[in-house]
Amino acid sequence: MTRGFYIGRFQPYHEGHHAMVERIASEVDELVLGIGSADQSHTARNPFTAGERIEMLTKATTDIGVVTYAVPIEDLNRNAVWVSHVRSMSPRFDVAYSNNPLVVRLFEEAGVEVRQSPMFRREEFEGAEVRERMAEGDDWEELVPEAVADTIADINGVDRLREVIDSDT
Amino acid sequence: MTRGFYIGRFQPYHEGHHAMVERIASEVDELVLGIGSADQSHTARNPFTAGERIEMLTKATTDIGVVTYAVPIEDLNRNAVWVSHVRSMSPRFDVAYSNNPLVVRLFEEAGVEVRQSPMFRREEFEGAEVRERMAEGDDWEELVPEAVADTIADINGVDRLREVIDSDT
Amino acid sequence: MTRGFYIGRFQPYHEGHHAMVERIASEVDELVLGIGSADQSHTARNPFTAGERIEMLTKATTDIGVVTYAVPIEDLNRNAVWVSHVRSMSPRFDVAYSNNPLVVRLFEEAGVEVRQSPMFRREEFEGAEVRERMAEGDDWEELVPEAVADTIADINGVDRLREVIDSDT
Amino acid sequence: MTRGFYIGRFQPYHEGHHAMVERIASEVDELVLGIGSADQSHTARNPFTAGERIEMLTKATTDIGVVTYAVPIEDLNRNAVWVSHVRSMSPRFDVAYSNNPLVVRLFEEAGVEVRQSPMFRREEFEGAEVRERMAEGDDWEELVPEAVADTIADINGVDRLREVIDSDT
Amino acid sequence: MTRGFYIGRFQPYHEGHHAMVERIASEVDELVLGIGSADQSHTARNPFTAGERIEMLTKATTDIGVVTYAVPIEDLNRNAVWVSHVRSMSPRFDVAYSNNPLVVRLFEEAGVEVRQSPMFRREEFEGAEVRERMAEGDDWEELVPEAVADTIADINGVDRLREVIDSDT
Amino acid sequence: MTRGFYIGRFQPYHEGHHAMVERIASEVDELVLGIGSADQSHTARNPFTAGERIEMLTKATTDIGVVTYAVPIEDLNRNAVWVSHVRSMSPRFDVAYSNNPLVVRLFEEAGVEVRQSPMFRREEFEGAEVRERMAEGDDWEELVPEAVADTIADINGVDRLREVIDSDT
């Protein structure tokens, strides 16, 4: 049995994440989705709570074909202990997946196997894109799985994002 | 759709918890299991990490018949914001289950419906009993689901508990 | 008896705040002034300590005609629990006043009545303006109540602001 | 103008505190009441929130004859910086009052004048006594000012205390 | 070159620690002395600040014959990340020395070599003994190196200990 | 005996720091080097851990001719208590050295003697310059003592810096 670990902030979970999850699912038996910055919400960069993100992830990965766990990971703001923190919060895993250079570096310094993908950072840029489209009133739904769009509608997420952005400027 | 929320430290998840979970499963469609004191481990009272507890819970509730979520909840050490913290970390829920008077009080002051059960605090006393039997070399396996005993064996949990207890005294 | 709650950072308390306080005073019997970011001081954005801000507020609102409370509110850096935190630190209140969209949003999500005013964000822009004038040696005293100018002179506040700004750049 | 500082947890504010406050009021022009462990509530030792304690203090000291400030002081759990923390949260003061040996020591090491009183620790023991009587159903009202008893009745404080005590045992 | 790591709270540094240090010095080229609970002071269990403890350690180990580093380690209150925290604060080391079962366990789970000594926990019991003798007015100086006794005299440490103990009871 | 205190982030320790240290060494008998932001590492601005920085400092100051202490100082993110925090972590000192206006201000408000130097902020600008050259592949070794360059090579520091910078952009 192989268990993989994939971390993101999932603000929100979008097609870039989903493509990555599908690729990982073909390599592992079980997958832990670590929800980073779990303590942050109601900001321009992190509009949704960890609980809301668990809902998005869970619904969007129902048919992924492997057992998945959605695990919130709060920020400790100390990179040097981050891998230990992740490991203590997550079911044990054999391999980590990430396209973020810092995450890759931290796992490697800790002796954890990390796999990267050719679609370098697509998920990262796409997160900012989704939030910008929400703010601007453009079509963001096409960038996320349908179940995610439904959850965001349920919680009135677009209005929230616009209001918190408005406070930052 | 009704979603329930049940919180415990699950150190470890035992038959007292399991009886409670089975009862709740008959009343809800989905169940969130909040893992309290998620940041604590390697102590006499909290020997297991949040990740290890997720493994125990997940395996032991496979056949429970409702969708379950295992969500680690870190301590903030401020009772006045605890319910808000729980709500931000968990998928939305309609009713909370607890036999702990403080938890009941906090949810009620926040206007959340709470249901208690007649088996008052059985799960709490049983947790201490399991850990004491582990420490003393008595039969503790009969007090926990088989999947939990397997996980604890895997991680060499009884040795760990004895060593951390040894440090406290 | 109606008690209102109005939050700001009050760095420093200026005429924009004061106009807002006078307006609120006509609608409530008692007013809580929540001092946000109470743990921050000696920075370009937050030059004054919570204690210094209590002094400013108290002196400047002596004649406001309603009972006032000045309550420091430390940052928790978790928006999802902020309203609970405020409520635990403040005497109970019936209505919150704010022109900040994030604050409005957080109170509304928590079910607290919020009132906004037409003088949208005047107090916010004015705070930055006061600090900039202090830094540049321009006339800032005209933007604050006399009692505030006196307190800032007492603590040698303008020199402090210039020195901390100098460290940032 | 002389301003004094007197710190306590005020769980709740009782006649022992009140006698101390009356004595201090005869020596100073203004008095800051520091509310210690402001972040703690809903425990056997700290049942009331900082906001509830502000209400008690304010009502009970209306007729004390000096200007008073009620200032919540959150725990930092670092004795070495405690005096600096207090000073940053409080209006400037000339003399501190305390009968607690640790508090006296910390202020003295920081070079702050401290005055003690002959009624050594009466207020400390009385706090525990009030809470015990509440828990046991004995007459506790006679140990606190009437305004405090009213506030506690308003917030259903005795029930809360009993429930949180029940969780500890 | 071999570098060892030895952690203690050193409240104060006493002959039990010193015997351990001398033994380690015969096995390594350089020695890091980790000062645990560095953020704690002015309590019955942790009377001295980290800075005071650095002074004690440095003076008492001048003649130990190996290069020593005294490194304060603040508590994070999360056992699962403790080894990573220690490693980030300390010069790199090859082997850890401890007689504390929890510390041994944590290092071993993290894959760090740990050496224990036959004088099991002598240093731990001796720390409590020194503090008790200080409190009771008995002869404690014979239990610590002379340089440590001098530092404690300098900072008036026995008086401090008595006063903080007095606050606890 | 005079002991001086000099604080920096030392990311990394460079010739600007070293010139300052040599100047201070001519004025004091012992020197404490406070390592600021000790809890930060693996970021563009703070690439190295506190432990790595202790190694750099210790090796580079071997021949400085005065007793030196390298003391990590974690961030508390509260300027008002910063001096107390520093004092609790450091051996007692008589005079502080800094060219940073905020640090100078905080020490002066706390009544600590501070000495500044004519080479205003050279060390600060030089830190950014070293990191930029590392990132760009330019010659950075000429800006740091040889022992520092060796340590950075040992820990593969340039690669780390490039990877964490890559994550920020």
Side-chain angles (χ1 to χ4, degrees):
Chain A
M1 207 277 288
T2 302
R3 196 182 282 140
F5 178 86
Y6 173 44
I7 194 154
R9 290 186 298 108
F10 305 119
Q11 291 283 13
Y13 183 84
H14 54 63
E15 294 294 355
H17 297 125
H18 201 61
M20 185 87 174
V21 165
E22 283 178 326
R23 194 176 75 76
I24 300 172
S26 69
E27 297 179 17
V28 301
D29 303 295
E30 295 192 2
L31 175 57
V32 181
L33 295 167
I35 299 174
S37 298
D39 48 312
Q40 297 299 299
S41 70
H42 296 81
T43 70
R45 200 168 134 76
N46 286 296
F48 306 113
T49 68
E52 290 162 352
R53 290 179 270 164
I54 293 175
E55 289 187 45
M56 293 179 204
L57 289 174
T58 306
K59 283 182 194 157
T61 59
T62 315
D63 302 324
I64 212 68
V66 300
V67 174
T68 60
Y69 304 78
V71 178
I73 308 283
E74 300 197 10
D75 286 337
L76 291 190
N77 296 317
R78 292 177 177 250
N79 286 331
V81 307
W82 186 79
V83 172
S84 292
H85 174 49
V86 163
R87 278 176 149 170
S88 76
M89 290 292 154
S90 168
R92 285 164 294 171
F93 52 88
D94 306 289
V95 54
Y97 291 81
S98 178
N99 294 322
N100 179 289
L102 172 61
V103 169
V104 171
R105 177 85 198 185
L106 293 174
F107 275 122
E108 284 180 348
E109 287 195 9
V112 177
E113 185 195 347
V114 194
R115 292 191 198 143
Q116 305 186 48
S117 104
M119 47 180 157
F120 190 69
R121 290 193 185 182
R122 177 182 155 197
E123 70 271 33
E124 184 174 319
F125 294 130
E126 207 157 306
E129 174 74 14
V130 173
R131 295 193 299 275
E132 194 174 311
R133 289 196 190 180
M134 285 177 170
E136 299 297 330
D138 296 335
D139 178 13
W140 57 272
E141 285 92 343
E142 64 175 0
L143 299 178
V144 306
E146 198 178 327
V148 171
D150 290 347
T151 302
I152 291 171
D154 263 17
I155 61 176
N156 207 4
V158 175
D159 278 2
R160 186 198 290 165
L161 178 65
R162 284 178 195 160
E163 285 163 29
V164 301
I165 283 176
D166 203 25
S167 295
D168 284 2
T169 52
Chain B
M1 207 275 289
T2 301
R3 197 183 281 140
F5 180 85
Y6 173 45
I7 193 154
R9 288 185 300 108
F10 305 119
Q11 290 284 12
Y13 183 84
H14 55 62
E15 295 292 357
H17 297 123
H18 201 61
M20 185 86 174
V21 165
E22 284 178 325
R23 193 175 77 77
I24 300 172
S26 69
E27 297 178 17
V28 299
D29 302 294
E30 296 193 1
L31 174 57
V32 181
L33 296 167
I35 300 175
S37 298
D39 48 311
Q40 297 298 299
S41 70
H42 297 82
T43 70
R45 197 167 136 76
N46 286 297
F48 306 114
T49 67
E52 290 162 351
R53 290 179 268 164
I54 293 174
E55 289 188 44
M56 295 178 201
L57 289 175
T58 307
K59 284 183 194 157
T61 58
T62 314
D63 302 325
I64 213 68
V66 299
V67 175
T68 60
Y69 304 78
V71 178
I73 307 283
E74 301 198 11
D75 286 336
L76 290 190
N77 297 316
R78 292 177 179 250
N79 286 331
V81 306
W82 186 79
V83 171
S84 291
H85 176 48
V86 163
R87 279 176 148 171
S88 75
M89 290 291 154
S90 168
R92 286 163 294 170
F93 52 86
D94 306 290
V95 54
Y97 291 82
S98 178
N99 294 322
N100 179 289
L102 172 60
V103 169
V104 171
R105 177 85 198 185
L106 293 174
F107 274 122
E108 284 180 348
E109 288 195 8
V112 177
E113 185 195 348
V114 194
R115 293 193 197 141
Q116 306 187 49
S117 104
M119 48 181 157
F120 191 64
R121 291 193 184 182
R122 178 183 155 196
E123 72 271 31
E124 183 173 320
F125 295 130
E126 207 157 305
E129 174 74 14
V130 173
R131 295 192 300 275
E132 193 173 313
R133 288 195 191 181
M134 285 177 169
E136 299 298 330
D138 296 335
D139 178 13
W140 57 272
E141 285 92 343
E142 64 174 0
L143 299 178
V144 305
E146 200 178 325
V148 171
D150 290 349
T151 301
I152 291 172
D154 264 17
I155 61 176
N156 209 2
V158 174
D159 279 3
R160 185 198 291 166
L161 178 65
R162 283 178 195 159
E163 286 163 29
V164 301
I165 283 176
D166 204 25
S167 294
D168 284 0
T169 52
Chain C
M1 208 277 289
T2 302
R3 196 183 281 141
F5 179 85
Y6 172 45
I7 194 153
R9 289 184 301 107
F10 305 118
Q11 291 283 13
Y13 182 83
H14 54 63
E15 294 294 355
H17 296 125
H18 200 60
M20 185 85 174
V21 165
E22 284 178 326
R23 192 176 77 77
I24 300 173
S26 68
E27 297 179 17
V28 300
D29 302 295
E30 296 193 1
L31 174 57
V32 181
L33 296 167
I35 300 174
S37 299
D39 49 311
Q40 297 299 299
S41 69
H42 297 81
T43 70
R45 199 168 133 76
N46 287 296
F48 306 113
T49 67
E52 291 162 351
R53 290 178 269 164
I54 293 175
E55 290 187 44
M56 293 177 204
L57 289 174
T58 307
K59 282 182 194 155
T61 58
T62 315
D63 301 325
I64 211 70
V66 300
V67 175
T68 60
Y69 304 77
V71 179
I73 308 283
E74 300 198 10
D75 285 337
L76 291 191
N77 297 316
R78 293 176 177 251
N79 286 332
V81 307
W82 186 78
V83 171
S84 291
H85 175 48
V86 163
R87 278 178 149 169
S88 76
M89 290 292 154
S90 168
R92 286 163 294 171
F93 52 86
D94 307 289
V95 54
Y97 291 81
S98 179
N99 294 322
N100 178 288
L102 172 60
V103 169
V104 171
R105 177 86 196 183
L106 293 174
F107 274 121
E108 284 179 348
E109 287 195 9
V112 176
E113 185 195 348
V114 195
R115 294 192 196 143
Q116 305 186 48
S117 103
M119 47 181 159
F120 191 62
R121 288 194 186 181
R122 177 183 157 197
E123 70 271 31
E124 185 173 317
F125 294 130
E126 206 156 308
E129 174 75 14
V130 173
R131 295 193 300 276
E132 195 174 310
R133 289 196 190 180
M134 284 177 169
E136 298 298 330
D138 296 335
D139 178 13
W140 57 272
E141 285 92 343
E142 65 174 359
L143 299 178
V144 306
E146 199 178 327
V148 171
D150 290 348
T151 301
I152 291 172
D154 263 18
I155 61 175
N156 208 2
V158 175
D159 278 3
R160 187 198 290 165
L161 178 65
R162 284 179 194 158
E163 286 163 28
V164 302
I165 283 176
D166 204 27
S167 294
D168 284 2
T169 52
Chain D
M1 208 276 288
T2 302
R3 197 183 280 139
F5 179 85
Y6 172 45
I7 193 154
R9 290 185 298 109
F10 305 118
Q11 290 284 11
Y13 183 83
H14 54 62
E15 295 293 356
H17 296 124
H18 202 61
M20 186 84 174
V21 166
E22 284 179 324
R23 192 175 77 75
I24 300 172
S26 68
E27 296 178 19
V28 300
D29 302 295
E30 295 193 2
L31 175 57
V32 181
L33 296 167
I35 300 174
S37 298
D39 48 311
Q40 297 299 300
S41 70
H42 297 81
T43 71
R45 198 168 134 76
N46 286 297
F48 306 113
T49 67
E52 290 162 352
R53 291 179 269 164
I54 292 175
E55 289 188 44
M56 293 178 203
L57 289 173
T58 307
K59 283 182 194 156
T61 59
T62 314
D63 302 325
I64 212 68
V66 300
V67 174
T68 60
Y69 304 77
V71 178
I73 308 282
E74 299 199 10
D75 286 337
L76 291 190
N77 296 316
R78 292 176 178 251
N79 286 331
V81 307
W82 186 78
V83 171
S84 292
H85 175 49
V86 162
R87 278 176 148 172
S88 76
M89 289 293 154
S90 169
R92 286 164 293 171
F93 52 87
D94 306 289
V95 54
Y97 290 82
S98 178
N99 294 323
N100 179 287
L102 172 60
V103 170
V104 170
R105 177 86 197 183
L106 293 174
F107 274 121
E108 284 180 348
E109 287 196 9
V112 177
E113 185 194 348
V114 195
R115 294 191 197 142
Q116 305 187 49
S117 104
M119 47 181 159
F120 191 64
R121 292 191 183 184
R122 177 183 156 197
E123 72 270 32
E124 185 173 318
F125 294 131
E126 207 158 304
E129 174 75 15
V130 173
R131 296 191 300 274
E132 194 174 313
R133 289 195 190 181
M134 284 176 169
E136 299 298 330
D138 296 334
D139 178 13
W140 56 272
E141 286 92 342
E142 64 173 0
L143 298 177
V144 305
E146 199 178 326
V148 171
D150 290 347
T151 302
I152 291 172
D154 262 17
I155 61 177
N156 208 2
V158 174
D159 278 3
R160 186 198 292 166
L161 178 65
R162 283 180 194 156
E163 284 162 30
V164 301
I165 283 176
D166 204 25
S167 295
D168 284 359
T169 53
Chain E
M1 207 276 287
T2 302
R3 197 182 282 140
F5 179 85
Y6 173 44
I7 195 155
R9 289 184 300 109
F10 305 119
Q11 290 282 14
Y13 183 83
H14 54 63
E15 295 293 355
H17 297 125
H18 201 61
M20 186 85 174
V21 165
E22 283 178 326
R23 192 175 78 77
I24 300 172
S26 69
E27 296 179 17
V28 300
D29 302 295
E30 294 192 1
L31 174 57
V32 181
L33 296 166
I35 299 175
S37 297
D39 48 312
Q40 298 298 300
S41 70
H42 297 81
T43 70
R45 198 168 135 77
N46 287 297
F48 306 114
T49 67
E52 290 162 351
R53 291 178 269 165
I54 292 174
E55 289 188 43
M56 294 178 202
L57 290 173
T58 307
K59 284 182 191 156
T61 59
T62 315
D63 302 325
I64 212 69
V66 298
V67 174
T68 60
Y69 304 77
V71 179
I73 308 283
E74 301 197 10
D75 287 337
L76 290 191
N77 297 316
R78 292 176 178 251
N79 286 330
V81 306
W82 186 80
V83 171
S84 291
H85 175 49
V86 163
R87 278 176 148 171
S88 76
M89 290 291 154
S90 169
R92 286 163 294 171
F93 53 86
D94 307 289
V95 54
Y97 291 82
S98 178
N99 294 323
N100 179 288
L102 172 60
V103 170
V104 171
R105 176 86 198 183
L106 293 175
F107 274 121
E108 284 180 349
E109 287 195 9
V112 177
E113 185 194 348
V114 195
R115 294 191 197 141
Q116 306 186 48
S117 104
M119 46 180 159
F120 191 63
R121 291 195 184 179
R122 177 182 155 198
E123 71 271 32
E124 183 173 320
F125 295 131
E126 208 157 304
E129 174 74 16
V130 173
R131 295 193 301 274
E132 192 174 314
R133 289 195 190 181
M134 284 177 169
E136 299 297 330
D138 296 334
D139 178 13
W140 57 273
E141 285 92 343
E142 65 174 359
L143 298 178
V144 305
E146 199 178 325
V148 171
D150 290 348
T151 301
I152 291 172
D154 264 18
I155 61 176
N156 208 3
V158 175
D159 278 3
R160 185 198 291 165
L161 179 65
R162 284 179 194 158
E163 285 163 28
V164 301
I165 284 176
D166 204 26
S167 294
D168 284 1
T169 52
Chain F
M1 207 279 286
T2 303
R3 196 181 281 139
F5 179 85
Y6 173 45
I7 193 152
R9 288 185 299 108
F10 305 119
Q11 291 283 13
Y13 182 84
H14 54 63
E15 295 294 355
H17 297 124
H18 201 60
M20 185 86 174
V21 165
E22 284 178 325
R23 193 176 77 77
I24 300 173
S26 69
E27 296 179 16
V28 300
D29 302 294
E30 295 193 3
L31 175 56
V32 182
L33 296 167
I35 300 173
S37 299
D39 48 311
Q40 297 299 299
S41 71
H42 297 81
T43 70
R45 199 168 133 78
N46 287 296
F48 307 113
T49 68
E52 290 162 351
R53 291 179 268 165
I54 293 174
E55 289 188 45
M56 294 178 203
L57 289 174
T58 307
K59 283 182 193 156
T61 59
T62 315
D63 302 325
I64 211 69
V66 299
V67 175
T68 60
Y69 304 77
V71 179
I73 309 283
E74 300 197 10
D75 286 337
L76 291 190
N77 297 317
R78 292 176 179 251
N79 286 331
V81 306
W82 186 79
V83 172
S84 291
H85 175 49
V86 163
R87 279 177 148 171
S88 76
M89 289 293 153
S90 169
R92 286 163 294 171
F93 53 86
D94 306 290
V95 54
Y97 291 81
S98 178
N99 295 322
N100 179 289
L102 172 60
V103 170
V104 171
R105 176 85 197 184
L106 293 174
F107 274 122
E108 284 180 347
E109 287 196 7
V112 177
E113 186 194 347
V114 195
R115 293 190 198 144
Q116 306 187 47
S117 104
M119 45 180 160
F120 191 62
R121 291 194 184 181
R122 177 183 156 195
E123 71 271 32
E124 184 173 320
F125 294 130
E126 207 157 305
E129 174 73 15
V130 173
R131 296 192 300 274
E132 193 174 312
R133 290 196 190 180
M134 285 177 168
E136 298 297 330
D138 297 334
D139 178 14
W140 57 271
E141 286 92 343
E142 63 174 2
L143 298 178
V144 305
E146 200 179 324
V148 171
D150 290 349
T151 302
I152 290 172
D154 264 19
I155 61 176
N156 208 2
V158 175
D159 279 2
R160 186 197 290 165
L161 178 65
R162 283 178 196 159
E163 285 163 29
V164 301
I165 283 175
D166 204 25
S167 294
D168 284 1
T169 52

